Amino acid sequence: MKLISAVTLALLTAVAAARAQESGEPRRGLAVARANCAPCHAVARGDRASPNPLAPPFQRVANTRGMTAMALNHFMHSAHETMPLIILSPDDQWHLVAYILSLRSR
Ligand code: HEC
């Protein structure tokens, strides 16, 4: 039983990650980021200084070791002391995740 749920979970995770990469459009994600995240985060490629110094530039987020679509989704759906919980439509969420991951440089 346990093994079956572990396998199911692994499959669901893989499907969700594949979906983010396939259906999210980075260009639309940039617009979502500009509208929702730019007051605090540096959102553009090559922009290393965030308006809020506590908020990491998205390029740095993208290059964090082990960063995945699942990890980003999880982060954005949980509450943080220093960052407001921002509710986006599922489509915008996927575009945004695809955009952030597109900034990865290594
Ligand atoms: C009001 C300011 C503010 C806004 C708006 C904001 N953030 Fe943040 N965000 C922060 C701060 C401050 C941190 C650092 C907090 C921490 O590490 O706990 C942070 C951390 C993060 C992190 C974690 C980075 C890491 O490596 O741990 C991610 C991912 C993130 N924000 C994504 C977003 C996205 C996507 C949006 C837009 C939908 C957004 N943020 C909007 C202030 C903001």
Side-chain angles (χ1 to χ4, degrees):
M1 226 21 217
K2 268 207 181 119
L3 179 64
I4 291 175
S5 36
V7 169
T8 310
L9 187 65
L11 275 177
L12 284 177
T13 307
V15 168
R19 206 193 113 115
Q21 269 139 30
E22 278 164 24
S23 68
E25 290 173 36
R27 270 185 29 202
R28 293 177 65 179
L30 174 58
V32 177
R34 286 224 158 99
N36 295 283
C37 321
C40 300
H41 291 269
V43 301
R45 180 185 296 278
D47 189 351
R48 287 167 205 286
S50 291
N52 176 342
L54 290 175
F58 279 2
Q59 196 162 352
R60 195 188 318 147
V61 172
N63 284 313
T64 302
R65 189 184 295 271
M67 187 53 74
T68 61
M70 287 313 287
L72 279 174
N73 267 310
H74 180 80
F75 183 89
M76 283 182 240
H77 285 118
S78 42
H80 296 272
E81 243 172 73
T82 45
M83 183 177 131
L85 191 57
I86 298 166
I87 309 294
L88 300 170
S89 74
D91 277 0
D92 280 355
Q93 177 81 20
W94 288 119
H95 295 319
L96 184 55
V97 167
Y99 170 67
I100 294 177
L101 293 179
S102 79
L103 297 176
R104 195 177 283 179
S105 58
R106 57 185 145 90

